[in-house]
């Protein structure tokens, strides 16, 4: 049996405790209760002589900041940021208890194992090891930030911290979720590991569909809001926005060292549309389509008051993810196109309108990540990519920081399998990935901060 390195044991134990605390964020103000994970992280980091500060925007919604001060105010500063909340779970779809944090065959199972407690734990372990290393005297400041509420809108987490306690967390560079998985690309120069230098925007909205109430026993030629809403859902699901090749996508293709024919396909809007519509590789088609199109996902539908009453009102919630340069008005125009003659029969109310964000690629942080990757995975190179969901990186980009989603993972799980676990069933992470990510943060911090 292969011996497990002490750092692997340490990060494994911390991750399992974070999972068991079950800080489930369902979007309501009282959910999350991230104080449980902040208590744990405070206890873990507390014996290192670190300056720890806790911030509580709302009862139970706590954030933790730890600092290793640099010796040179002009040197770069770096934040390692992980969130401590997780999304709700339907345990019936899991093979194991999602909050038991089972360890089996060197794999830890549980909600948050991938999104993103594995990185929150590995960042904490790397940070603590750097703090107690008396031989390391950085020129630049290193900050560990554990935030609440990432799985909703960041209201009680990163957004609040930057608005109310900016001096505690602002930095030149930020690392957060999620990168470092081996992409299934036919690259001519070895494996490519994505670093998320950009993310799509989000336009969450509620569409209200109105009808006329009546008796359920006489449905013929009634103005049934639920029937109308079903057609609204169908049209939105069928809608295909125009293909858009933004700068991050072009840079990704150019740096991927792909065969010429495939590179040509990925830089031609018509070819991309044909590929995603006809490909047998559903996972790859989904990823390419999401990276090059505005996406529309009807997710929640509420309506009706009683079985024998024709519903006069239905509310539909839609998750819309936008590309660089797209405003809320552009999205509303796309919705009108999708709905056609039903556009004037509905009311659209925005719940959030967060624009897409991006950071430059050619930076000292990129260079540090590249060198750390070569040290731990010599055969691989990092490559810029866009994450199609939302992360807390967007708040820091707007505040002037360069923010990337990064990490380093083993090849035990495929890119497709890994991606499917975000907000899905059977989240799990192998211990080798935990070790690699911990060593990765350590190397990057030493390289960047001196």
């Amino acid at each position: 049996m292969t011996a497990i390195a002490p750092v692997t044991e340490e990060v494994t134990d911390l991750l399992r405790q974070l999972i068991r605390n079950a800080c489930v964020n369902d979007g309501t103000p009282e959910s999350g209760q991230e104080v449980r994970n902040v208590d744990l992280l405070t206890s873990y980091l507390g014996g290192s002589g670190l300056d720890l500060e806790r911030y509580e925007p709302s009862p139970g919604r706590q954030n933790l900041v730890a600092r290793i001060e640099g010796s040179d105010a002009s040197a770069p500063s770096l934040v390692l940021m992980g969130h401590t909340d997780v999304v709700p779970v339907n345990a019936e779809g899991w093979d194991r208890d999602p909050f038991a944090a089972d360890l089996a065959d060197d794999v830890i199972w549980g909600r948050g194992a991938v999104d993103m407690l594995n990185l929150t734990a590995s960042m904490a372990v790397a940070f603590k090891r750097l703090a107690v290393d008396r031989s390391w005297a950085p020129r630049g400041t290193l900050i560990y930030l554990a935030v609440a509420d990432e799985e909703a809108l960041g209201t009680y987490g990163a957004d609040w911290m930057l608005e109310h306690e900016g001096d505690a967390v602002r930095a030149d560079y930020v690392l957060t979720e999620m990168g470092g998985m081996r992409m299934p690309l036919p690259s001519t120069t070895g494996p490519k590991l994505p670093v998320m230098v950009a993310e799509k925007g989000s336009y969450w909205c509620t569409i209200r569909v109105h009808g006329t109430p009546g008796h359920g026993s006489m449905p013929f030629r009634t103005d049934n809001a639920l029937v109308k809403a079903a057609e609204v859902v169908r049209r939105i699901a069928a809608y295909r926005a125009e293909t858009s090749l933004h700068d991050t996508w072009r840079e990704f293709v150019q740096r991927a060292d792909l065969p010429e024919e495939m590179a040509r396909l990925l830089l031609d809007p018509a070819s991309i549309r044909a590929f995603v519509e006809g490909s047998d590789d559903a996972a790859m088609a989904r990823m390419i389509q999401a990276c090059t199109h505005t996406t529309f996902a009807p997710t929640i539908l509420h309506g009706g008051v009683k079985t024998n009453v024709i519903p006069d009102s239905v509310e539909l919630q839609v998750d819309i993810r936008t590309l660089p340069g797209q405003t809320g008005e552009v999205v509303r125009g796309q919705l009108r196109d999708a709905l056609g003659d039903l556009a004037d029969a509905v009311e659209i109310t925005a719940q959030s309108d967060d624009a897409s964000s991006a950071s430059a690629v050619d930076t000292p942080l990129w260079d540090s990540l590249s060198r750390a990757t070569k040290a731990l995975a010599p055969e691989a190179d990092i490559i810029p990519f866009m994450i199609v969901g939302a992360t807390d990186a967007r708040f820091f980009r707007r505040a002037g920081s360069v923010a990337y989603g990064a990490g380093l993972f083993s090849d035990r799980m495929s890119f497709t399998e890994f991606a499917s676990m975000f907000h899905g069933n059977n989240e799990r992470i192998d211990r080798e990935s935990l070790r690699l990510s911990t060593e990765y943060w350590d190397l990057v911090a030493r390289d960047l901060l001196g």
Side-chain angles (χ1 to χ4, degrees):
M1 183 176 180
T2 304
I4 301 297
V7 67
T8 308
E9 294 282 13
E10 194 171 340
V11 69
T12 297
D13 180 62
L14 183 59
L15 171 59
R16 296 179 77 190
Q17 292 183 70
L18 289 169
I19 291 171
R20 288 169 182 155
N21 279 338
C23 296
V24 177
N25 183 356
D26 64 12
T28 58
E30 65 276 6
S31 69
Q33 292 301 301
E34 295 89 345
V35 62
R36 294 193 292 271
N37 275 339
V38 169
D39 284 343
L40 170 62
L41 291 166
T42 300
S43 176
Y44 172 75
L45 295 171
S48 307
L50 293 166
D51 178 21
L52 303 178
E53 293 289 342
R54 299 164 69 139
Y55 303 88
E56 190 172 54
S58 183
R61 312 305 299 272
Q62 286 197 5
N63 304 278
L64 175 67
V65 178
R67 301 175 68 90
I68 300 173
E69 293 292 344
S71 60
D72 184 352
S74 66
S77 51
L78 173 66
V79 170
L80 300 177
M81 176 173 58
H83 65 78
T84 55
D85 59 329
V86 299
V87 294
V89 58
N90 179 3
E92 293 181 1
W94 286 58
D95 296 336
R96 294 175 179 270
D97 183 337
F99 295 107
D102 289 343
L103 173 61
D105 191 25
D106 277 339
V107 172
I108 300 96
W109 293 65
R111 177 56 96 211
V114 163
D115 182 15
M116 68 170 289
L117 298 181
N118 70 93
L119 297 184
T120 305
S122 63
M123 287 174 170
V125 172
F127 187 88
K128 182 175 181 179
R129 290 166 71 86
L130 289 164
V132 300
D133 182 357
R134 301 308 175 194
S135 68
W136 188 55
R139 291 178 56 247
T141 295
L142 179 64
I143 301 168
Y144 176 76
L145 173 60
V147 294
D149 202 32
E150 192 277 342
E151 295 294 3
L153 295 173
T155 303
Y156 306 111
D159 191 20
W160 188 92
M161 289 296 297
L162 281 165
E163 182 177 351
H164 297 277
E165 300 290 346
D167 290 344
V169 296
R170 283 197 188 93
D172 300 305
Y173 301 105
V174 178
L175 289 173
T176 187
E177 58 184 341
M178 169 62 72
M181 307 79 71
R182 293 174 185 242
M183 301 189 79
L185 298 171
S187 174
T188 60
T189 56
K192 303 300 180 187
L193 312 181
V195 171
M196 305 302 174
V197 303
E199 65 182 55
K200 294 182 79 171
S202 59
Y203 186 93
W204 291 0
C205 67
T206 297
I207 298 178
R208 291 179 177 84
V209 183
H210 297 290
T212 303
H215 201 288
S217 66
M218 297 178 288
F220 183 62
R221 296 177 69 173
T222 56
D223 183 22
N224 188 322
L226 187 57
V227 173
K228 197 183 300 180
E231 177 61 13
V232 168
V233 170
R234 189 198 67 77
R235 292 186 186 187
I236 291 174
Y239 180 69
R240 297 292 181 266
E242 291 186 6
T243 306
S244 176
L245 306 186
H246 46 85
D247 289 346
T248 302
W249 179 258
R250 293 181 184 279
E251 185 131 29
F252 157 69
V253 175
Q254 290 164 3
R255 294 193 182 213
D257 297 325
L258 298 169
E260 186 176 343
E261 183 179 351
M262 185 173 187
R264 212 168 34 241
L265 179 153
L266 294 178
L267 291 174
D268 176 56
S271 297
I272 286 178
R273 181 175 290 273
F275 174 81
V276 299
E277 294 292 345
S279 175
D280 292 331
D281 187 341
M284 180 63 73
R286 255 194 311 271
M287 181 189 73
I288 292 175
Q289 198 271 346
C291 283
T292 56
H293 298 79
T294 309
T295 57
F296 299 77
T299 53
I300 299 175
L301 187 69
H302 292 298
V305 294
K306 194 171 183 287
T307 302
N308 64 348
V309 177
I310 300 293
D312 64 346
S313 180
V314 171
E315 287 194 354
L316 167 66
Q317 293 183 31
V318 186
D319 181 350
I320 304 170
R321 304 294 170 135
T322 61
L323 291 170
Q326 293 181 331
T327 63
E329 187 53 41
V330 169
V331 174
R332 293 172 78 90
Q334 291 174 320
L335 278 173
R336 285 192 291 270
D337 288 344
L339 295 177
D341 61 354
L342 288 176
D344 293 332
V346 303
E347 299 174 18
I348 301 172
T349 304
Q351 296 168 276
S352 68
D353 185 2
D354 273 330
S356 175
S357 65
S359 290
V361 173
D362 296 320
T363 68
L365 178 57
W366 181 272
D367 296 339
S368 292
L369 289 169
S370 182
R371 286 189 286 268
T373 300
K374 281 299 183 186
L376 296 171
E379 76 287 2
D381 292 301
I382 58 173
I383 187 170
F385 201 61
M386 168 183 276
I387 192 168
V388 297
T391 75
D392 285 331
R394 68 191 188 276
F395 301 117
F396 281 86
R397 291 190 185 114
R398 291 170 193 160
S401 300
V402 169
Y404 296 152
L408 188 60
F409 297 91
S410 77
D411 58 2
R412 178 161 180 173
M413 295 179 193
S414 70
F415 181 90
T416 299
E417 184 180 18
F418 194 91
S420 72
M421 290 187 283
F422 283 84
H423 297 194
N425 293 333
N426 292 328
E427 267 190 89
R428 59 200 183 279
I429 192 74
D430 62 286
R431 299 177 83 185
E432 176 63 5
S433 291
L434 296 178
R435 180 191 69 81
L436 285 169
S437 287
T438 304
E439 294 187 4
Y440 197 54
W441 311 129
D442 184 289
L443 288 177
V444 170
R446 292 177 189 274
D447 186 88
L448 180 68
L449 304 179

